[in-house]
Amino acid sequence: MQQEAPGSAVISLLVDNESGALGRIIGLFSGRGYNIRSLTVAPVDEHGLVSRVNIVTTGTLSDIRQIKAQIERLVPVSRVVDLSSEGPHVAREMALIKVVSSGEPRTEALRIAEAFRARAVDTTASSFVFELTGSSDKLDSFIELMRPLGLAEVSRTGIAAICRGPQTIQNN
Amino acid sequence: MTPKTASAPMAAQTTTTLPGAEVLMRALVEQGVEVIFGYPGGAVLPIYDALFRQNHIRHILVRHEQAAVHAAEAYARSTGKVGVVLVTSGPGATNAVTGLLDALMDSIPLVCLSGQVPTALIGNDAFQEADTTGITRPVTKYNYLVRRPEDLAATVHEAFAIAQAGRPGPVLIDLPKNITVGNAPYKGADEVKPRVGKVQVEPDRDAIVRAVAAMKNGRRPLFYTGGGIINSGSEACEGLRKLAKLTGFPVTSTLMGFGAFPGTDKQFLGMLGMHGTYEANLATHGCDVLIALGSRFDDRVTGRLDAFSPDSFKIHADIDPSQINKIIPVDQPIVGDVGRTIALMIEEWEKQPAYEHKAELTAWWEQIEAWRALDCLRFNQDQAPDAIIKPQQAIQRIYELAQQTGRDTFVSTEVGQHQMWAAQFFKFDKPNRWLTSGGLGTMGYGLPAAVGAQIAHPDALVLDVAGEASTLMNIQELGTIAQYRLPVKLFIINNHYMGMVRQWQELLHGSRYSESYSDALPDFVKLAESFHAKGLRATRMDQLDDVIREALAHDGPVVVDLCVAEGENCFPMIPSGAAHNEMILGPEQEERGAKVTREGMMLV
Ligand SMILES: Cc1ncc(C[n+]2csc(CCOP(=O)(O)OP(=O)(O)O)c2C)c(N)n1
Ligand SMILES: [Mg+2]
């Protein structure tokens, strides 16, 4: 078997909102040794009966295909798409980033935050909490820039993803 | 737990409301359940009470919950029906876990009902509380905790549908005591639209066309058949016979597939894989078209992956899309019911231009016959009356003498060398007759499996070919056998070793037989007698046939202690991590040493 280079993939799925459903998905990943880089989950239909789960995982193309096939076997899962292989998609995440500093680093942090369009959602004399939404790469580089400027704490949501254009997870 | 199916509002005026345990009984009866294998306890007392007050369903009281699951597995495997298990909460449920995983690995449809503490106590570490749905999630196809009475009936119906849909498997329903005691509305199966996931039964026509085109192009073709064909049913087995006759191609089978194609047919090469036959493995290695039907390229079958059937065009038909390209990349996948796949292949074979490679196929058969001529299973048995019996001899004679009875015969096994020898020496001409733990390799499977098979087929001959170590893992089932007067024949191939472990230690660990000697064994004859069965023993060649005959003729349970040679190894053998053309053969055959690699040692 030739080994393709492992890459990252975004898998979105719809699952009945029942107790244990998330456990099934996570258990599948841990039990089969697949990697979860990030995972988000929330109900998405009007009655709150169906949740959407977005998982960022890594693997070769055949790993990802296998992951998708394994998820498809789960009874409460009604739809699975590998957004990274099925046309263009948008993936966004939000982060709250706490920076504790004063003087020149503090001014510099604020300047960079403006350039990134991060909002200061909490401000004290010695700290900021910035809220930043965007691609994971953008969040990564912002966090890297904050590191020497008093980066104290990071909280990230993990990505929410959706395909571009008129198609939906239901008809794609 | 909120199955969509169960949350629809009830039509109040037409709904029958009954105690939950009775709703459960009704739903089971509606699902055609005739037998439950179970063991009572506090959390399931309401269900046992409902069982007591009805007479549609027979309950078989096992002696350990693991055995209940294995018995239900064999019941299911030998009848094609869903096996049903009933266990209490906590230890009852945890004892069932091994059996559930066994059923999951071997694709056996089961519904396991477990008791649970009342919903109000869940999470409080109540007496005999276990997080049963949490514990059993990875060992079931699906599981439920019934939290609302209105979900009960629908859950049962859905569980039976899921157990059987697509690739079959075990489903567990955890039943809190307040749900079985309190009233619940009844719902018929026709009122429920079960979620069974995405099951593609009908194969894609184009895939069949391409597969058959590849088969027509094959000069050295091979069918590699598995348990999926048996799960698909008798039509699939009939179809396979027809397809094989039509094409003239050789057929090999996995451990789980025995009987789908007649074991005595000339076109059958025997089992492939780790302890498969020389001809089956070399054919797998050398074929140019490999047609996998309801099999899953298990590591016991493939050996070293990069050397598995290196030159073949691979067709893989399976109802479970996640099996395709999982281990071996294939050239032509076919997702669908394997019975339908076979039927369409037959149609397509007749439609496409005639097969043009008859001459090459004949040459392929000549090659296969040359391999077969090695007679890879031949062993050397000293025929002197006082000679030590070889385990192979014992198993071969059990097969031959059972055959001579002319009776419909079901064979279960435990796990170890005896299992592999039974797989090599027994030939099955019909499906559903071979009951063995393939995927999980569960020691202790065989005796409860024999119980399940004998309950399902009271007039059949049911044998358990056992090892002395394995059989002690569920020996308590002799009690069940006695209680229900099941004429099961337990043949213990007693080599005083965990033979398979000893064999690996000999081959891989410098003959350091660490903890693999079966010390302090019971006297199996006396053991049999204490369980109201007949006990027999053979220690020398001149006793072997007589003892087997006597056991087979006895109209009741028999335990036969067949004391055999201790040091025999099961050959052929592809050491883990070796290729199919690197088989180790027995002393009777030419030695073609394969080196066991370090990587192979890890594959165990
Ligand atoms: C429950 C369980 N524990 C351990 C093993 C590992 N194992 C596989 S075969 C075997 C030895 C079986 O010995 P026996 O039943 O005497 O059969 P033999 O190989 O001697 O024919 C063991 C320990 C297993 N398969 N199942
Ligand atoms: Mg033994």
Side-chain angles (χ1 to χ4, degrees), chain B residues 324-477:
Chain B
I324 291 173
N325 288 321
K326 184 179 75 174
I327 291 167
I328 295 284
V330 298
D331 302 286
Q332 183 56 62
I334 305 173
V335 175
D337 170 51
V338 71
R340 286 297 300 147
T341 297
I342 291 170
L344 292 175
M345 280 179 163
I346 293 171
E347 262 181 59
E348 189 59 31
W349 181 270
E350 287 174 330
K351 204 171 341 152
Q352 288 190 16
Y355 180 59
E356 285 178 356
H357 305 294
K358 286 232 164 74
E360 288 102 325
L361 181 62
T362 307
W364 177 230
W365 269 114
E366 280 163 9
Q367 171 66 74
I368 290 171
E369 290 307 335
W371 289 328
R372 187 147 39 197
L374 183 83
D375 197 2
C376 67
L377 303 181
R378 193 179 68 242
F379 55 92
N380 183 15
Q381 172 66 58
D382 180 351
Q383 297 294 334
D386 63 349
I388 296 173
I389 305 162
K390 287 210 169 171
Q392 301 94 317
Q393 173 77 10
I395 289 171
Q396 186 166 44
R397 291 308 287 159
I398 297 168
Y399 168 62
E400 288 166 355
L401 295 172
Q403 279 286 99
Q404 284 175 21
T405 66
R407 297 177 62 191
D408 195 9
T409 306
F410 292 77
V411 181
S412 71
T413 73
E414 306 290 338
V415 171
Q417 290 180 319
H418 63 277
Q419 175 192 31
M420 291 297 115
W421 279 315
Q424 292 174 339
F425 290 107
F426 275 74
K427 309 265 177 285
F428 294 88
D429 285 342
K430 289 185 197 159
N432 309 96
R433 304 298 192 278
W434 166 248
L435 310 164
T436 199
S437 171
L440 195 60
T442 310
M443 290 170 70
Y445 169 88
L447 193 57
V451 168
Q454 190 82 74
I455 292 287
H457 309 276
D459 299 327
L461 177 60
V462 177
L463 321 174
D464 175 17
V465 177
E468 83 294 337
S470 295
T471 204
L472 283 178
M473 286 210 179
N474 270 320
I475 196 71
Q476 78 287 343
E477 293 313 308

Side-chain angles (χ1 to χ4, degrees), chain A residues 109-131:
Chain A
L110 197 60
R111 209 181 52 71
I112 295 174
E114 269 160 27
F116 272 79
R117 297 214 182 85
R119 285 201 307 138
V121 291
D122 177 71
T123 308
T124 71
S126 61
S127 70
F128 287 118
V129 174
F130 293 117
E131 174 196 314

Side-chain angles (χ1 to χ4, degrees), chain B residues 256-276:
Chain B
M256 300 313 292
F258 288 170
F261 190 75
T264 52
D265 194 291
K266 276 297 271 182
Q267 272 173 265
F268 190 62
L269 309 188
M271 179 169 72
L272 82 166
M274 186 174 277
H275 292 291

Side-chain angles (χ1 to χ4, degrees), chain A residues 16 18 24 66 72 77, chain B residues 142-143 195 198 320 322:
Chain A
D16 292 349
E18 59 184 32
R24 257 173 239 288
Q66 180 60 212
E72 272 169 346
V77 171
Chain B
Y142 194 56
N143 63 14
R195 300 169 301 170
K198 299 129 289 264
D320 179 356
S322 73

Side-chain angles (χ1 to χ4, degrees), chain A residues 36-96:
Chain A
I36 298 183
R37 277 237 201 123
S38 98
L39 179 144
T40 56
V41 53
V44 288
D45 68 320
E46 53 179 330
H47 305 295
L49 295 177
V50 177
S51 287
R52 180 176 179 129
V53 179
N54 302 294
I55 301 173
V56 181
T57 181
T58 49
T60 62
L61 222 69
S62 54
D63 291 340
I64 305 294
R65 255 188 246 124
Q66 180 60 212
I67 291 174
K68 188 172 168 242
Q70 291 292 349
I71 298 172
E72 272 169 346
R73 295 168 78 192
L74 300 176
V75 173
V77 171
S78 55
R79 198 77 190 99
V80 188
V81 291
D82 169 9
L83 287 174
S84 19
S85 76
E86 288 173 30
H89 68 279
V90 201
R92 289 287 179 271
E93 73 172 309
M94 200 260 272
L96 297 172

